[in-house]
Amino acid sequence: MSKKKKVLHIVEAMGGGVFTYIVELANGMCRDFDVTIAFGIRSQTPENYVEYFDENVSLIQVNNFTRGLNPIKDLGSYFELRKIIKKVKPDIIHMHSSKAGAIGRMMFSGKKYKMFYTPHGYSFLMGDVSGLKKKIFKYIEKICGNGNCITVACGKSEWEKSRKVSKKSTYINNGINIEKIQKIIDETADSKADNPGEFTVYTVGRIDYQKHPELFNEIAEQLPDIKFVWIGDGAMRDKLTSPNITITGWLDNKQTIACAKKYDVFVLTSRYEGLPISLLEAMYMKKVCIVSNVVGNRDVIQNNVSGYICDDRDGFVKVIERLAADGVEKAMVNRAYDAILHHYNSGRLVEKYEELYGETN
């Protein structure tokens, strides 16, 4: 019996969609691979995060991981990762997010390890940083992209961006665990009856620059008779001032699915995306999805076929007004649901990674 290959995932941003992604990937591969995750804690990391992982997955916290540039902390995380590498002795190293990707590729360039990097949204595409920082981030990506690491984008649009900064790249679509989600749906009482006729629009994620809470608020202000819910929390919650918006705070995945089950329309107003897990979950739950016209969203939603892509506030408002008046379009949500079944599920995700890792003999 051949020895299992050892895979080390380095995950600086262990929260939100990245957390869901790494849980499904690690749990799906831990019987055929020896899987370890070196991770940083984020504000949205579930307190009971250990319970999400299979008992065969090893978890090691990196105390010095931080989101922004911090030379002292970054140097500290470098030394922490060196110790972890010596302990784990991995055959494959897979880095997740721009920070982990930069540190990891600089550390291990030219070494014997097989290396992979998934950006989950490039830093140089962020709108909340200066033009100079964007140039620096892109330059770092280009320098690191010359090494022996394969960039694995989480969607086609991110892959197209990766080809401009990396010599070797491919893409594997994000996927969700449809069996797990269905179980939550089945176990959750249908509480729509608690508020008959109350049409509700919702979103999921951090309340931060990327998710564009100002636009979400403007849409809500234009539709005062419709209820809006933001499932999540974040530093920009003060931008959500419209009286018809409810902020739930952070919920775990089970609570999020149970909460979203009650609502009618999913909205994603993001300024940029990788390939959003929250959108995939909404599609599987047969919610009408209305998204901003950005990379990531466009990979998943076909406009007027499996959802709606909008360029501005008025576009969102017109679609929501029509849906509130005429009801959900069943053919559209069924097409979105079928896309998840065939292309964006965790079974396909794991299968593709097993093929990719297996090619690295």
Side-chain angles (χ1 to χ4, degrees):
M1 190 173 184
S2 59
K3 185 179 178 182
K4 288 183 180 180
K5 285 185 178 180
K6 293 183 178 181
V7 180
L8 173 64
H9 291 281
I10 301 176
V11 189
E12 178 269 317
M14 183 93 140
V18 177
F19 177 76
T20 302
Y21 171 97
I22 201 66
V23 166
E24 299 307 332
L25 182 58
N27 288 350
M29 302 190 75
C30 66
R31 286 164 183 78
D32 296 320
F33 293 81
D34 188 338
V35 179
T36 300
I37 301 174
F39 66 96
I41 292 287
R42 283 280 185 92
S43 60
Q44 64 269 36
T45 304
E47 291 184 6
N48 61 335
Y49 64 86
V50 175
E51 297 174 14
Y52 285 77
F53 290 95
D54 189 285
E55 61 183 8
N56 293 308
V57 177
S58 300
L59 300 171
I60 304 174
Q61 185 174 344
V62 180
N63 295 308
N64 283 288
F65 264 151
T66 58
R67 185 180 183 189
L69 291 173
N70 186 322
I72 295 175
K73 288 283 188 179
D74 293 345
L75 185 61
S77 63
Y78 169 84
F79 287 114
E80 282 188 87
L81 288 172
R82 282 185 60 179
K83 291 180 181 178
I84 292 169
I85 293 292
K86 289 180 180 179
K87 177 182 177 181
V88 175
K89 297 182 175 61
D91 302 297
I92 297 167
I93 296 174
H94 192 157
M95 297 152 286
H96 301 267
S97 81
S98 297
K99 169 67 78 68
I103 294 173
R105 286 180 291 175
M106 289 177 182
M107 282 180 66
F108 312 126
S109 180
K111 303 289 176 62
K112 61 182 179 180
Y113 313 107
K114 300 295 183 181
M115 294 170 53
F116 301 91
Y117 161 55
T118 300
H120 299 284
Y122 278 109
S123 291
F124 63 80
L125 297 178
M126 295 190 303
D128 56 341
V129 297
S130 67
L132 177 60
K133 278 191 176 181
K134 286 183 184 179
K135 289 180 180 178
I136 292 172
F137 290 152
K138 192 168 186 177
Y139 180 73
I140 291 171
E141 290 286 354
K142 285 184 176 181
I143 293 296
C144 293
N146 287 323
N148 65 341
C149 180
I150 298 174
T151 298
V152 189
C154 59
K156 187 176 180 181
S157 292
E158 188 172 74
W159 170 66
E160 290 170 351
K161 298 292 183 183
S162 76
R163 295 172 68 192
K164 298 178 181 180
V165 294
S166 175
K167 290 198 305 181
K168 294 178 284 187
S169 66
T170 185
Y171 74 94
I172 296 175
N173 287 324
N174 271 358
I176 57 173
N177 189 324
I178 57 178
E179 290 82 9
K180 184 189 294 182
I181 294 173
Q182 189 59 52
K183 184 179 179 182
I184 297 170
I185 292 171
D186 293 341
E187 292 175 349
T188 304
D190 189 356
S191 54
K192 187 67 179 174
D194 295 341
N195 298 293
E198 187 173 32
F199 189 87
T200 304
V201 176
Y202 80 101
T203 194
V204 179
R206 293 188 312 276
I207 309 176
D208 65 2
Y209 182 89
Q210 177 191 355
K211 301 300 183 182
H212 206 167
E214 304 97 325
L215 176 56
F216 188 86
N217 192 73
E218 289 175 13
I219 296 165
E221 287 178 333
Q222 294 296 308
L223 300 165
D225 296 327
I226 292 176
K227 182 179 178 181
F228 285 74
V229 176
W230 191 301
I231 302 175
D233 210 333
M236 294 179 68
R237 66 179 291 150
D238 62 320
K239 302 298 182 182
L240 301 175
T241 58
S242 187
N244 54 334
I245 296 177
T246 298
I247 303 171
T248 67
W250 286 116
L251 303 178
D252 64 26
N253 187 245
K254 184 174 182 179
Q255 292 169 322
T256 297
I257 298 299
C259 192
K261 182 181 176 182
K262 300 180 290 186
Y263 305 141
D264 302 278
V265 170
F266 175 80
V267 162
L268 199 58
T269 53
S270 308
R271 288 181 165 102
Y272 57 93
E273 282 289 352
L275 202 160
I277 294 291
S278 61
L279 173 56
L280 303 184
E281 291 176 339
M283 292 167 68
Y284 179 75
M285 296 177 71
K286 295 189 177 181
K287 305 299 180 184
V288 179
C289 297
I290 312 171
V291 301
S292 54
N293 189 7
V294 298
V295 167
N297 293 344
R298 291 193 298 262
D299 287 342
V300 184
I301 294 295
Q302 291 180 272
N303 193 31
N304 294 311
V305 176
S306 56
Y308 297 97
I309 299 174
C310 297
D311 295 312
D312 54 26
R313 180 199 68 187
D314 292 343
F316 280 97
V317 169
K318 287 178 183 177
V319 174
I320 294 169
E321 278 183 323
R322 181 161 53 80
L323 291 171
D326 300 338
V328 171
E329 300 168 8
K330 296 203 184 264
M332 176 175 284
V333 297
N334 285 334
R335 285 190 288 267
Y337 175 81
D338 287 342
I340 300 300
L341 295 185
H342 294 101
H343 302 292
Y344 300 104
N345 63 79
S346 58
R348 291 284 293 165
L349 175 76
V350 170
E351 180 183 297
K352 290 292 185 181
Y353 269 111
E354 285 178 341
E355 291 176 6
L356 185 63
Y357 289 170
E359 292 170 358
T360 61
N361 294 317

